[in-house]
Amino acid sequence: MQAIQTKSTPINETLEKRPLIIAGPCSAETEEQVIQTATRLASSGKVDILRAGIWKPRTRPGSFEGIGTKGLPWMQQAKKLSGLPVAIEVATAKQVEDALHFDIDVLWVGARTTVNPFSVQEVADALRGVDVPVLIKNPINPDLELWIGAVERIAKAGIKNIGLIHRGFSSYGNTEYRNAPMWHLAIEMKRRNPGMLLINDPSHICGRRDILLDVAQHAINLDFDGLIIESHIDPDNAWSDAKQQVTPEKLAEILNSIIWRKEDTTSEEFHADMEKLRQQINHLDDELMQLIGQRMKIADKIGQYKKDNSITILQTNRWNEILDRAFRKGEKLGLSKEFITKYFDAVHMESITHQNKIMNG
Ligand code: PEP
Ligand code: MN
């Protein structure tokens, strides 16, 4: 097979590309599968790095746990033939050692590893003195401190090029997603790590193909730096995560459909218009705060009456009435039920805090 690309770009330069696209199978299964996926991905011209899982941390035993070290030469071969640098997940010191031995270009720490500081530390210690980029997935549970802790451990080991992967958070019960995106946590992580690469993993968020584009577009709208998406030559027969993988050609279609946005523009007219709209928003936010302040003052008064008459703070019927009213009004105003619930929950909790102070005062 002919190499598609011959001259190689230094990996740190590749990681600067925007949008950065990492793609490849959930798991390396056979040499042919890895190489075919790599060359088909490379020929789309839209993929920057090939991914594949060599060791698979599975939630339950009995499913495919990865091909192991045997798959590493396949990655080397795929890189040679496709010209794409390669990335794999590592979770132990031995895996780091093996990956480096086979010249893997980028390592990533998986969600099940990020939750465990012992494992992250083991990986970090194995990386000491090594110059390799490391991407860190968010932990499976929505705990920002664990994610930050993992970044700190890897940084302390001397790794200079660290990036973040947002792959969603597991939640109990069935939702639309395999892993709830909880976008606000990714946004907060970006705020706390300005300038650090942040890419989105729609595959593990969605767990299915049909909503990959929606989630990917959402991430790009939120100014993520790129995407990591699972791609397989025969998705239905993949040995792991079959439901969420797409063929390299389908992936190219998805990437073509995304409207790529940038954070900023130099157009003066745009900035002037934005400034006006932002001032309107600031003004409305000030008014909303004033109104909420007034609302709390009334809650204080109600608290006083309840105290004088020895009545409980929480009155479920009244609370249901408030919510029903808000849902009806909100719908007409184009406000989602989810937002109304969150907003009223927050206002209600603040109101209860105020009333509690009065009761105990
Ligand atoms: C993977 O990328 O294949 C993987 C196992 O992902 P996560 O760690 O996000 O579950
Ligand atoms: Mn997977």
Side-chain angles (χ1 to χ4, degrees):
M1 209 179 292
Q2 273 278 301
I4 289 177
Q5 201 180 309
T6 43
K7 69 172 177 356
S8 70
T9 315
I11 190 62
N12 288 333
E13 225 172 273
T14 303
L15 286 163
E16 303 260 305
K17 216 198 120 236
R18 299 293 177 266
L20 177 75
I21 307 295
I22 304 179
C26 176
S27 306
E29 297 165 5
T30 66
E31 182 165 19
E32 208 219 331
Q33 169 244 8
V34 173
I35 290 172
Q36 261 218 43
T37 314
T39 47
R40 278 164 58 179
L41 285 171
S43 64
S44 76
K46 295 183 179 300
V47 172
D48 305 299
I49 298 173
L50 173 75
R51 63 147 282 156
I54 296 291
W55 301 279
K56 300 301 301 176
R58 310 309 301 188
T59 301
R60 308 262 313 264
S63 37
F64 177 58
E65 304 214 326
I67 204 74
T69 317
K70 183 177 154 193
L72 291 171
W74 306 345
M75 296 300 279
Q76 271 188 325
Q77 193 62 7
K79 173 174 165 177
K80 202 168 131 202
L81 295 173
S82 67
L84 294 176
V86 290
I88 68 164
E89 173 177 348
V90 288
T92 66
K94 174 76 168 62
Q95 291 172 3
V96 171
E97 215 177 277
D98 288 349
L100 296 173
H101 181 75
F102 283 91
D103 299 321
I104 300 297
D105 302 280
V106 177
L107 306 179
W108 86 79
V109 174
R112 287 165 194 76
T113 304
T114 308
V115 281
N116 183 349
F118 286 137
S119 303
V120 176
Q121 194 56 52
E122 181 182 326
V123 168
D125 290 341
L127 286 168
R128 216 168 278 282
V130 177
D131 181 19
V132 65
V134 179
L135 308 179
I136 304 174
K137 286 199 169 197
N138 67 255
I140 45 180
N141 55 328
D143 183 339
L144 215 57
E145 296 306 315
L146 269 178
W147 200 1
I148 291 171
V151 171
E152 286 170 347
R153 284 176 200 278
I154 301 295
K156 272 194 177 172
I159 296 296
K160 296 270 175 308
N161 202 348
I162 297 179
L164 304 166
I165 302 176
H166 168 232
R167 51 78 79 194
F169 302 87
S170 69
S171 57
Y172 187 71
N174 278 338
T175 65
E176 188 184 1
Y177 303 105
R178 177 177 173 192
N179 290 294
M182 301 189 184
W183 296 102
H184 60 286
L185 291 181
I187 293 168
E188 177 59 11
M189 192 64 181
K190 184 178 160 86
R191 196 185 65 79
R192 296 224 216 154
N193 296 278
M196 190 175 279
L197 172 79
L198 170 65
I199 63 174
N200 178 255
D201 176 347
S203 305
H204 290 91
I205 288 179
C206 299
R208 50 189 242 228
R209 287 169 209 135
D210 59 325
I211 52 172
L212 282 175
L213 174 59
D214 282 354
V215 169
Q217 182 69 67
H218 196 84
I220 297 309
N221 294 349
L222 291 176
D223 194 35
F224 275 65
D225 297 310
L227 303 166
I228 175 166
I229 305 193
E230 288 187 340
S231 175
H232 193 285
I233 47 169
D234 184 7
D236 284 335
N237 292 306
W239 298 1
S240 59
D241 288 352
K243 286 197 197 127
Q244 70 197 32
Q245 303 204 61
V246 289
T247 61
E249 293 68 32
K250 176 69 195 168
L251 176 68
E253 227 180 278
I254 292 176
L255 295 173
N256 267 334
S257 310
I258 294 176
I259 301 162
W260 301 97
R261 305 185 198 276
K262 44 188 190 291
E263 191 187 11
D264 215 345
T265 157
T266 48
S267 151
E268 274 184 26
E269 196 188 331
F270 170 84
H271 281 287
D273 287 349
M274 281 299 275
E275 192 45 43
K276 265 190 236 151
L277 292 171
R278 283 184 171 148
Q279 277 183 13
Q280 287 177 31
I281 293 254
N282 286 351
H283 176 71
L284 286 172
D285 279 345
D286 289 349
E287 284 199 349
L288 282 172
M289 300 263 277
Q290 291 281 352
L291 288 172
I292 292 174
Q294 284 176 27
R295 191 191 190 284
M296 291 306 153
K297 288 223 168 68
I298 296 178
D300 286 348
K301 268 194 199 156
I302 293 181
Q304 190 60 49
Y305 279 128
K306 284 182 184 166
K307 183 181 178 180
D308 296 346
N309 293 284
S310 303
I311 288 181
T312 58
I313 292 180
L314 181 67
Q315 289 171 308
T316 316
N317 282 347
R318 169 66 182 143
W319 179 232
N320 283 336
E321 188 189 307
I322 290 182
L323 272 184
D324 282 347
R325 209 167 149 264
F327 287 152
R328 265 181 278 120
K329 283 215 155 195
E331 201 179 349
K332 286 194 195 118
L333 293 166
L335 303 172
S336 71
K337 221 170 170 173
E338 192 195 354
F339 168 73
I340 297 276
T341 311
K342 277 192 189 149
Y343 169 75
F344 273 92
D345 267 349
V347 170
H348 190 216
M349 285 316 296
E350 182 69 10
S351 207
I352 286 179
T353 308
H354 270 246
Q355 294 191 17
N356 250 329
K357 263 196 207 139
I358 301 233
M359 292 265 176
N360 301 329

PDB file of all heavy atoms in Angstrom, residues 66-93:
ATOM      1  N   GLY A  66      -9.576  -5.465  24.836  1.00  0.00           N
ATOM      2  CA  GLY A  66      -8.462  -4.879  24.084  1.00  0.00           C
ATOM      3  C   GLY A  66      -7.488  -5.946  23.621  1.00  0.00           C
ATOM      4  O   GLY A  66      -7.322  -6.981  24.261  1.00  0.00           O
ATOM      5  N   ILE A  67      -6.829  -5.655  22.516  1.00  0.00           N
ATOM      6  CA  ILE A  67      -5.932  -6.618  21.896  1.00  0.00           C
ATOM      7  C   ILE A  67      -4.585  -6.665  22.633  1.00  0.00           C
ATOM      8  O   ILE A  67      -3.852  -7.641  22.558  1.00  0.00           O
ATOM      9  CB  ILE A  67      -5.769  -6.260  20.392  1.00  0.00           C
ATOM     10  CG1 ILE A  67      -5.354  -7.467  19.578  1.00  0.00           C
ATOM     11  CG2 ILE A  67      -4.834  -5.090  20.167  1.00  0.00           C
ATOM     12  CD1 ILE A  67      -6.464  -8.457  19.367  1.00  0.00           C
ATOM     13  N   GLY A  68      -4.280  -5.584  23.355  1.00  0.00           N
ATOM     14  CA  GLY A  68      -3.029  -5.539  24.127  1.00  0.00           C
ATOM     15  C   GLY A  68      -1.830  -5.166  23.268  1.00  0.00           C
ATOM     16  O   GLY A  68      -1.979  -4.727  22.114  1.00  0.00           O
ATOM     17  N   THR A  69      -0.665  -5.388  23.837  1.00  0.00           N
ATOM     18  CA  THR A  69       0.604  -4.945  23.247  1.00  0.00           C
ATOM     19  C   THR A  69       0.781  -5.360  21.781  1.00  0.00           C
ATOM     20  O   THR A  69       1.398  -4.635  20.991  1.00  0.00           O
ATOM     21  CB  THR A  69       1.780  -5.528  24.076  1.00  0.00           C
ATOM     22  OG1 THR A  69       1.425  -5.374  25.448  1.00  0.00           O
ATOM     23  CG2 THR A  69       3.065  -4.807  23.814  1.00  0.00           C
ATOM     24  N   LYS A  70       0.194  -6.489  21.446  1.00  0.00           N
ATOM     25  CA  LYS A  70       0.241  -6.993  20.072  1.00  0.00           C
ATOM     26  C   LYS A  70      -0.253  -5.954  19.046  1.00  0.00           C
ATOM     27  O   LYS A  70       0.154  -5.953  17.879  1.00  0.00           O
ATOM     28  CB  LYS A  70      -0.695  -8.215  20.048  1.00  0.00           C
ATOM     29  CG  LYS A  70      -0.803  -8.968  18.797  1.00  0.00           C
ATOM     30  CD  LYS A  70      -1.731 -10.177  19.062  1.00  0.00           C
ATOM     31  CE  LYS A  70      -2.399 -10.618  17.772  1.00  0.00           C
ATOM     32  NZ  LYS A  70      -3.500 -11.544  18.034  1.00  0.00           N
ATOM     33  N   GLY A  71      -1.133  -5.046  19.496  1.00  0.00           N
ATOM     34  CA  GLY A  71      -1.700  -4.049  18.583  1.00  0.00           C
ATOM     35  C   GLY A  71      -0.779  -2.857  18.338  1.00  0.00           C
ATOM     36  O   GLY A  71      -1.013  -2.074  17.411  1.00  0.00           O
ATOM     37  N   LEU A  72       0.260  -2.724  19.165  1.00  0.00           N
ATOM     38  CA  LEU A  72       1.105  -1.521  19.030  1.00  0.00           C
ATOM     39  C   LEU A  72       1.861  -1.448  17.694  1.00  0.00           C
ATOM     40  O   LEU A  72       1.898  -0.385  17.069  1.00  0.00           O
ATOM     41  CB  LEU A  72       2.049  -1.400  20.236  1.00  0.00           C
ATOM     42  CG  LEU A  72       1.320  -1.063  21.550  1.00  0.00           C
ATOM     43  CD1 LEU A  72       2.254  -1.176  22.756  1.00  0.00           C
ATOM     44  CD2 LEU A  72       0.698   0.333  21.493  1.00  0.00           C
ATOM     45  N   PRO A  73       2.432  -2.576  17.217  1.00  0.00           N
ATOM     46  CA  PRO A  73       3.074  -2.503  15.897  1.00  0.00           C
ATOM     47  C   PRO A  73       2.072  -2.172  14.789  1.00  0.00           C
ATOM     48  O   PRO A  73       2.445  -1.567  13.781  1.00  0.00           O
ATOM     49  CB  PRO A  73       3.657  -3.908  15.692  1.00  0.00           C
ATOM     50  CG  PRO A  73       3.643  -4.565  17.024  1.00  0.00           C
ATOM     51  CD  PRO A  73       2.636  -3.883  17.872  1.00  0.00           C
ATOM     52  N   TRP A  74       0.796  -2.543  14.976  1.00  0.00           N
ATOM     53  CA  TRP A  74      -0.226  -2.207  13.969  1.00  0.00           C
ATOM     54  C   TRP A  74      -0.382  -0.689  13.878  1.00  0.00           C
ATOM     55  O   TRP A  74      -0.572  -0.132  12.795  1.00  0.00           O
ATOM     56  CB  TRP A  74      -1.600  -2.795  14.300  1.00  0.00           C
ATOM     57  CG  TRP A  74      -1.637  -4.270  14.553  1.00  0.00           C
ATOM     58  CD1 TRP A  74      -0.649  -5.188  14.254  1.00  0.00           C
ATOM     59  CD2 TRP A  74      -2.701  -5.001  15.163  1.00  0.00           C
ATOM     60  NE1 TRP A  74      -1.049  -6.439  14.643  1.00  0.00           N
ATOM     61  CE2 TRP A  74      -2.304  -6.354  15.206  1.00  0.00           C
ATOM     62  CE3 TRP A  74      -3.947  -4.656  15.686  1.00  0.00           C
ATOM     63  CZ2 TRP A  74      -3.107  -7.359  15.744  1.00  0.00           C
ATOM     64  CZ3 TRP A  74      -4.763  -5.640  16.211  1.00  0.00           C
ATOM     65  CH2 TRP A  74      -4.334  -6.984  16.236  1.00  0.00           C
ATOM     66  N   MET A  75      -0.315  -0.042  15.043  1.00  0.00           N
ATOM     67  CA  MET A  75      -0.436   1.425  15.068  1.00  0.00           C
ATOM     68  C   MET A  75       0.751   2.041  14.321  1.00  0.00           C
ATOM     69  O   MET A  75       0.596   2.991  13.547  1.00  0.00           O
ATOM     70  CB  MET A  75      -0.476   1.955  16.509  1.00  0.00           C
ATOM     71  CG  MET A  75      -1.670   1.512  17.329  1.00  0.00           C
ATOM     72  SD  MET A  75      -3.251   2.018  16.636  1.00  0.00           S
ATOM     73  CE  MET A  75      -3.388   3.705  17.185  1.00  0.00           C
ATOM     74  N   GLN A  76       1.935   1.475  14.570  1.00  0.00           N
ATOM     75  CA  GLN A  76       3.148   1.976  13.887  1.00  0.00           C
ATOM     76  C   GLN A  76       2.996   1.854  12.378  1.00  0.00           C
ATOM     77  O   GLN A  76       3.315   2.768  11.622  1.00  0.00           O
ATOM     78  CB  GLN A  76       4.356   1.136  14.316  1.00  0.00           C
ATOM     79  CG  GLN A  76       5.056   1.642  15.529  1.00  0.00           C
ATOM     80  CD  GLN A  76       6.348   0.881  15.769  1.00  0.00           C
ATOM     81  OE1 GLN A  76       6.430  -0.319  15.515  1.00  0.00           O
ATOM     82  NE2 GLN A  76       7.361   1.574  16.269  1.00  0.00           N
ATOM     83  N   GLN A  77       2.476   0.709  11.978  1.00  0.00           N
ATOM     84  CA  GLN A  77       2.288   0.427  10.554  1.00  0.00           C
ATOM     85  C   GLN A  77       1.234   1.374   9.968  1.00  0.00           C
ATOM     86  O   GLN A  77       1.408   1.927   8.880  1.00  0.00           O
ATOM     87  CB  GLN A  77       1.882  -1.051  10.412  1.00  0.00           C
ATOM     88  CG  GLN A  77       1.945  -1.602   9.018  1.00  0.00           C
ATOM     89  CD  GLN A  77       3.359  -1.579   8.418  1.00  0.00           C
ATOM     90  OE1 GLN A  77       4.339  -1.257   9.105  1.00  0.00           O
ATOM     91  NE2 GLN A  77       3.461  -1.867   7.135  1.00  0.00           N
ATOM     92  N   ALA A  78       0.159   1.570  10.712  1.00  0.00           N
ATOM     93  CA  ALA A  78      -0.927   2.451  10.253  1.00  0.00           C
ATOM     94  C   ALA A  78      -0.399   3.866  10.071  1.00  0.00           C
ATOM     95  O   ALA A  78      -0.745   4.573   9.122  1.00  0.00           O
ATOM     96  CB  ALA A  78      -2.076   2.437  11.260  1.00  0.00           C
ATOM     97  N   LYS A  79       0.467   4.266  10.994  1.00  0.00           N
ATOM     98  CA  LYS A  79       1.060   5.612  10.920  1.00  0.00           C
ATOM     99  C   LYS A  79       1.927   5.739   9.672  1.00  0.00           C
ATOM    100  O   LYS A  79       1.859   6.732   8.938  1.00  0.00           O
ATOM    101  CB  LYS A  79       1.890   5.825  12.185  1.00  0.00           C
ATOM    102  CG  LYS A  79       2.702   7.078  12.235  1.00  0.00           C
ATOM    103  CD  LYS A  79       3.314   7.170  13.621  1.00  0.00           C
ATOM    104  CE  LYS A  79       4.422   8.166  13.706  1.00  0.00           C
ATOM    105  NZ  LYS A  79       4.931   8.252  15.091  1.00  0.00           N
ATOM    106  N   LYS A  80       2.700   4.692   9.421  1.00  0.00           N
ATOM    107  CA  LYS A  80       3.591   4.705   8.269  1.00  0.00           C
ATOM    108  C   LYS A  80       2.793   4.806   6.962  1.00  0.00           C
ATOM    109  O   LYS A  80       3.127   5.564   6.060  1.00  0.00           O
ATOM    110  CB  LYS A  80       4.427   3.420   8.295  1.00  0.00           C
ATOM    111  CG  LYS A  80       5.704   3.528   7.510  1.00  0.00           C
ATOM    112  CD  LYS A  80       6.610   2.358   7.810  1.00  0.00           C
ATOM    113  CE  LYS A  80       7.078   1.766   6.492  1.00  0.00           C
ATOM    114  NZ  LYS A  80       7.518   0.380   6.641  1.00  0.00           N
ATOM    115  N   LEU A  81       1.716   4.047   6.913  1.00  0.00           N
ATOM    116  CA  LEU A  81       0.954   3.983   5.659  1.00  0.00           C
ATOM    117  C   LEU A  81      -0.010   5.148   5.464  1.00  0.00           C
ATOM    118  O   LEU A  81      -0.336   5.504   4.344  1.00  0.00           O
ATOM    119  CB  LEU A  81       0.190   2.656   5.585  1.00  0.00           C
ATOM    120  CG  LEU A  81       1.094   1.425   5.510  1.00  0.00           C
ATOM    121  CD1 LEU A  81       0.284   0.156   5.607  1.00  0.00           C
ATOM    122  CD2 LEU A  81       1.914   1.438   4.215  1.00  0.00           C
ATOM    123  N   SER A  82      -0.491   5.727   6.553  1.00  0.00           N
ATOM    124  CA  SER A  82      -1.485   6.804   6.406  1.00  0.00           C
ATOM    125  C   SER A  82      -0.860   8.180   6.595  1.00  0.00           C
ATOM    126  O   SER A  82      -1.430   9.187   6.188  1.00  0.00           O
ATOM    127  CB  SER A  82      -2.592   6.633   7.448  1.00  0.00           C
ATOM    128  OG  SER A  82      -2.075   6.856   8.753  1.00  0.00           O
ATOM    129  N   GLY A  83       0.290   8.220   7.259  1.00  0.00           N
ATOM    130  CA  GLY A  83       0.916   9.506   7.567  1.00  0.00           C
ATOM    131  C   GLY A  83       0.312  10.167   8.789  1.00  0.00           C
ATOM    132  O   GLY A  83       0.721  11.253   9.182  1.00  0.00           O
ATOM    133  N   LEU A  84      -0.672   9.505   9.417  1.00  0.00           N
ATOM    134  CA  LEU A  84      -1.305  10.118  10.597  1.00  0.00           C
ATOM    135  C   LEU A  84      -0.548   9.751  11.871  1.00  0.00           C
ATOM    136  O   LEU A  84      -0.246   8.571  12.093  1.00  0.00           O
ATOM    137  CB  LEU A  84      -2.748   9.609  10.753  1.00  0.00           C
ATOM    138  CG  LEU A  84      -3.755   9.990   9.681  1.00  0.00           C
ATOM    139  CD1 LEU A  84      -5.095   9.319   9.967  1.00  0.00           C
ATOM    140  CD2 LEU A  84      -3.917  11.499   9.609  1.00  0.00           C
ATOM    141  N   PRO A  85      -0.264  10.739  12.728  1.00  0.00           N
ATOM    142  CA  PRO A  85       0.271  10.391  14.043  1.00  0.00           C
ATOM    143  C   PRO A  85      -0.772   9.587  14.821  1.00  0.00           C
ATOM    144  O   PRO A  85      -1.961   9.648  14.491  1.00  0.00           O
ATOM    145  CB  PRO A  85       0.523  11.743  14.710  1.00  0.00           C
ATOM    146  CG  PRO A  85      -0.130  12.765  13.862  1.00  0.00           C
ATOM    147  CD  PRO A  85      -0.484  12.161  12.546  1.00  0.00           C
ATOM    148  N   VAL A  86      -0.320   8.862  15.828  1.00  0.00           N
ATOM    149  CA  VAL A  86      -1.249   7.939  16.498  1.00  0.00           C
ATOM    150  C   VAL A  86      -1.388   8.215  17.990  1.00  0.00           C
ATOM    151  O   VAL A  86      -0.443   8.649  18.657  1.00  0.00           O
ATOM    152  CB  VAL A  86      -0.818   6.468  16.262  1.00  0.00           C
ATOM    153  CG1 VAL A  86      -1.042   6.075  14.812  1.00  0.00           C
ATOM    154  CG2 VAL A  86       0.635   6.245  16.655  1.00  0.00           C
ATOM    155  N   ALA A  87      -2.592   7.941  18.503  1.00  0.00           N
ATOM    156  CA  ALA A  87      -2.897   8.175  19.919  1.00  0.00           C
ATOM    157  C   ALA A  87      -3.553   6.947  20.521  1.00  0.00           C
ATOM    158  O   ALA A  87      -4.388   6.309  19.868  1.00  0.00           O
ATOM    159  CB  ALA A  87      -3.843   9.370  20.054  1.00  0.00           C
ATOM    160  N   ILE A  88      -3.147   6.608  21.742  1.00  0.00           N
ATOM    161  CA  ILE A  88      -3.798   5.497  22.451  1.00  0.00           C
ATOM    162  C   ILE A  88      -4.031   5.870  23.914  1.00  0.00           C
ATOM    163  O   ILE A  88      -3.442   6.814  24.427  1.00  0.00           O
ATOM    164  CB  ILE A  88      -2.979   4.174  22.383  1.00  0.00           C
ATOM    165  CG1 ILE A  88      -1.676   4.313  23.188  1.00  0.00           C
ATOM    166  CG2 ILE A  88      -2.695   3.754  20.952  1.00  0.00           C
ATOM    167  CD1 ILE A  88      -1.021   2.979  23.501  1.00  0.00           C
ATOM    168  N   GLU A  89      -4.886   5.080  24.562  1.00  0.00           N
ATOM    169  CA  GLU A  89      -5.150   5.294  25.992  1.00  0.00           C
ATOM    170  C   GLU A  89      -4.165   4.489  26.825  1.00  0.00           C
ATOM    171  O   GLU A  89      -3.873   3.339  26.512  1.00  0.00           O
ATOM    172  CB  GLU A  89      -6.586   4.840  26.324  1.00  0.00           C
ATOM    173  CG  GLU A  89      -6.879   4.875  27.819  1.00  0.00           C
ATOM    174  CD  GLU A  89      -8.304   4.501  28.181  1.00  0.00           C
ATOM    175  OE1 GLU A  89      -9.169   4.420  27.282  1.00  0.00           O
ATOM    176  OE2 GLU A  89      -8.568   4.303  29.392  1.00  0.00           O
ATOM    177  N   VAL A  90      -3.679   5.108  27.904  1.00  0.00           N
ATOM    178  CA  VAL A  90      -2.824   4.374  28.853  1.00  0.00           C
ATOM    179  C   VAL A  90      -3.381   4.522  30.260  1.00  0.00           C
ATOM    180  O   VAL A  90      -3.903   5.572  30.626  1.00  0.00           O
ATOM    181  CB  VAL A  90      -1.364   4.891  28.840  1.00  0.00           C
ATOM    182  CG1 VAL A  90      -0.640   4.489  27.573  1.00  0.00           C
ATOM    183  CG2 VAL A  90      -1.316   6.410  29.022  1.00  0.00           C
ATOM    184  N   ALA A  91      -3.260   3.426  31.033  1.00  0.00           N
ATOM    185  CA  ALA A  91      -3.808   3.462  32.390  1.00  0.00           C
ATOM    186  C   ALA A  91      -2.823   2.951  33.432  1.00  0.00           C
ATOM    187  O   ALA A  91      -3.077   3.069  34.633  1.00  0.00           O
ATOM    188  CB  ALA A  91      -5.091   2.643  32.445  1.00  0.00           C
ATOM    189  N   THR A  92      -1.700   2.365  32.982  1.00  0.00           N
ATOM    190  CA  THR A  92      -0.710   1.849  33.941  1.00  0.00           C
ATOM    191  C   THR A  92       0.701   2.236  33.470  1.00  0.00           C
ATOM    192  O   THR A  92       0.891   2.630  32.306  1.00  0.00           O
ATOM    193  CB  THR A  92      -0.750   0.301  34.023  1.00  0.00           C
ATOM    194  OG1 THR A  92      -0.326  -0.227  32.753  1.00  0.00           O
ATOM    195  CG2 THR A  92      -2.140  -0.228  34.346  1.00  0.00           C
ATOM    196  N   ALA A  93       1.670   2.065  34.374  1.00  0.00           N
ATOM    197  CA  ALA A  93       3.056   2.400  34.041  1.00  0.00           C
ATOM    198  C   ALA A  93       3.550   1.517  32.886  1.00  0.00           C
ATOM    199  O   ALA A  93       4.222   1.982  31.965  1.00  0.00           O
ATOM    200  CB  ALA A  93       3.943   2.210  35.266  1.00  0.00           C
TER     201      ALA A  93
END
